[in-house]
Amino acid sequence: MVYINDNFTRLPETYLFSEIAKRVQAFKNEHPEAQIIRMGIGDVTLPLPKTVIEAMHKAVDEMATGATFKGYGPEQGYSFLIDKIIEHDYKALGVELATDEVFVSDGAKSDTGNIGDILSKDNIIAVTDPVYPVYIDTNVMG
Amino acid sequence: MVYINDNFTRLPETYLFSEIAKRVQAFKNEHPEAQIIRMGIGDVTLPLPKTVIEAMHKAVDEMATGATFKGYGPEQGYSFLIDKIIEHDYKALGVELATDEVFVSDGAKSDTGNIGDILSKDNIIAVTDPVYPVYIDTNVMG
């Protein structure tokens, strides 16, 4: 017999942003000519700058030959990236950080969920209303 | 007062693969000329095939101009990818799947941890010994 985490049954039926995306897509299918102004979710809209595109092409080419191919990276991020983050984002502002004080994750949303795992269920938390939905949902799940 | 999830204190001091990676790196620094045969972790070693490299370059170029730039993708994966997965990985084997039965995640390790979140703490689980360390650690954390 397998028991589920009952907290999941307390989540709202639909995830806000997912629901908005589905409704926008449905409208777009019915009105392909419509110019939609999206106010439902903050998103990036401008193309990536040339230096980023060039760096990404270079990284792809590294994966094409045995001499430069990379397998699994270190799970807290490549040291060449961590060193640059410390140098440009922190040292430039007068903040000293050691390499083991920076880790490269897969993004703020998974982090928000994972931080909850570190904390005990005995904590009492308060969230504002309205609030970014992830802050509520991850706490309800936990 | 903030309480932590005490289960984390029951994790072994070091993560096996991370410890192996650190020791190999230390040896490499001391013996830069050594050809190391790595038997500590399964990893990919061959470069990516040409068609994959070409597709990745094409995807990078899409991010370079406003007309083809993509912002946040749908959180369960792009439908063009899900459709191809169903067609080639399942339909080709005679398995019929609907698009909402396939989701593209960020990998098996995070999934292993996240699946644990879905289950209740009242479950009793058994793992083999030896076992892939993630299967133990994610259960200890939960």
Side-chain angles (χ1 to χ4, degrees):
Chain A
M1 174 82 193
V2 175
Y3 306 100
I4 70 150
N5 175 353
D6 288 327
N7 294 333
F8 275 84
T9 63
R10 295 160 57 200
L11 282 177
E13 187 76 17
T14 54
Y15 180 57
L16 178 65
F17 295 134
S18 158
E19 180 65 25
I20 291 175
K22 275 184 202 154
R23 291 195 196 184
V24 169
Q25 190 58 48
F27 184 88
K28 233 176 129 178
N29 291 345
E30 283 170 35
H31 308 85
E33 78 296 345
Q35 294 260 353
I36 300 171
I37 299 170
R38 294 157 192 268
M39 301 185 73
I41 185 168
D43 198 354
V44 281
T45 51
L46 292 176
L48 300 180
K50 203 170 159 234
T51 44
V52 174
I53 294 293
E54 283 169 3
M56 286 170 81
H57 278 306
K58 209 176 129 197
V60 170
D61 284 332
E62 281 184 6
M63 302 300 275
T65 61
T68 52
F69 175 80
K70 287 183 175 67
Y72 293 152
E75 83 279 0
Q76 316 212 334
Y78 284 107
S79 59
F80 64 77
L81 175 58
I82 291 174
D83 290 344
K84 292 289 181 192
I85 289 172
I86 291 176
E87 186 187 338
H88 296 289
D89 292 346
Y90 293 93
K91 204 161 187 170
L93 301 170
V95 179
E96 297 285 339
L97 282 181
T99 50
D100 65 357
E101 290 178 293
V102 173
F103 78 103
V104 181
S105 79
D106 58 348
K109 193 175 292 183
S110 356
D111 285 344
T112 310
N114 293 336
I115 286 171
D117 287 345
I118 302 175
L119 302 172
S120 163
K121 283 175 198 310
D122 299 327
N123 292 294
I124 294 169
I125 61 137
V127 285
T128 59
D129 181 14
V131 72
Y132 181 53
V134 173
Y135 298 155
I136 297 208
D137 289 352
T138 52
N139 278 296
V140 171
M141 290 176 206
Chain B
M1 175 81 193
V2 176
Y3 305 98
I4 69 150
N5 175 353
D6 288 326
N7 294 332
F8 276 84
T9 63
R10 294 159 57 200
L11 281 177
E13 186 75 19
T14 53
Y15 180 57
L16 179 65
F17 296 134
S18 158
E19 180 65 25
I20 291 175
K22 273 184 199 153
R23 290 195 197 183
V24 169
Q25 190 58 49
F27 184 88
K28 232 175 130 179
N29 291 345
E30 282 169 35
H31 308 86
E33 77 296 346
Q35 295 259 353
I36 300 171
I37 300 171
R38 292 156 194 267
M39 302 186 73
I41 184 167
D43 198 355
V44 282
T45 51
L46 293 176
L48 300 181
K50 203 171 158 231
T51 44
V52 174
I53 293 293
E54 283 170 4
M56 287 169 79
H57 278 305
K58 210 176 129 196
V60 170
D61 283 332
E62 280 184 7
M63 302 300 276
T65 61
T68 52
F69 175 80
K70 288 184 175 65
Y72 292 153
E75 84 279 358
Q76 315 212 336
Y78 283 107
S79 60
F80 64 77
L81 176 58
I82 291 174
D83 290 343
K84 292 289 180 191
I85 289 172
I86 291 176
E87 187 187 337
H88 296 288
D89 293 344
Y90 294 94
K91 205 161 190 174
L93 301 171
V95 179
E96 297 285 338
L97 282 181
T99 49
D100 65 358
E101 291 178 292
V102 173
F103 78 102
V104 181
S105 79
D106 58 349
K109 192 174 294 183
S110 356
D111 285 344
T112 309
N114 293 336
I115 286 171
D117 287 346
I118 301 176
L119 302 172
S120 163
K121 283 175 200 311
D122 298 328
N123 292 293
I124 294 170
I125 60 136
V127 284
T128 59
D129 181 13
V131 71
Y132 181 52
V134 173
Y135 298 156
I136 297 209
D137 289 352
T138 52
N139 278 296
V140 171
M141 289 177 206

